[in-house]
Amino acid sequence: MLWILNATRTARRRLREEKNDGRCRADMDTAGAGGGVGCLGIDRYAAAQALWLPGPQCQCGAGIEIVQFNPKIVVYDVLGPAGTSARIDYHDADANTHELNAALPWSTTISTTLPAMAANILVQGDSDQIGCRITVDGTVRDEKSTDGVNAQTFCLVKSA
């Protein structure tokens, strides 16, 4: 064990005295019989010291810029004759399903900072007409309407 410590001290001294080109060279005459083990230990020791000792190149927090952006606004609209009630199923920003019964016209707004959102709404009314609309940041992305007994339709935006 003593010869490994001596080899480590000798190798450390040699690393301080001459520039190292990034590779650890263990000579038998410099590091002794345990040169490979000592050299491996020195490389890890030197790397650990470099991580813990901030030098003049360390600029903690420099270069980090917070960019302001506007959240994405998704609006679900359900349209139909006044007094009509509808069963409405829609997805929120986290893709959770919400089910409700509401009088028409009906609308809800979702605000999200997620990079993408799948907007989906399914509606069925108790009248002969019903429609839905999905608006993203003020732009209508999908709109459908249908006629028929207990009319039903859906709107889908795969990437809002």
Side-chain angles (χ1 to χ4, degrees), residues 16-98:
R16 278 192 301 239
E17 290 174 1
E18 66 180 47
K19 281 189 172 179
N20 189 356
D21 62 355
R23 293 188 304 258
C24 186
R25 294 177 305 237
D27 300 330
M28 290 298 279
D29 60 331
T30 304
V37 175
C39 188
L40 179 63
I42 292 302
D43 276 353
R44 290 191 181 177
Y45 174 79
Q49 292 303 316
L51 290 175
W52 289 103
L53 300 175
Q57 73 278 3
C58 180
Q59 298 173 4
C60 300
I64 298 174
E65 181 181 337
I66 298 174
V67 178
Q68 297 295 326
F69 63 94
N70 296 326
K72 187 177 303 187
I73 306 295
V74 177
V75 179
Y76 291 116
D77 292 312
V78 180
L79 311 168
T84 300
S85 68
R87 179 170 183 236
I88 303 168
D89 296 310
Y90 69 95
H91 288 157
D92 64 11
D94 297 319
N96 296 320
T97 302
H98 298 271

Side-chain angles (χ1 to χ4, degrees), residues 78-84 104-106 127 129-131:
V78 180
L79 311 168
T84 300
L104 299 184
W106 176 87
S127 70
Q129 297 175 339
I130 198 160

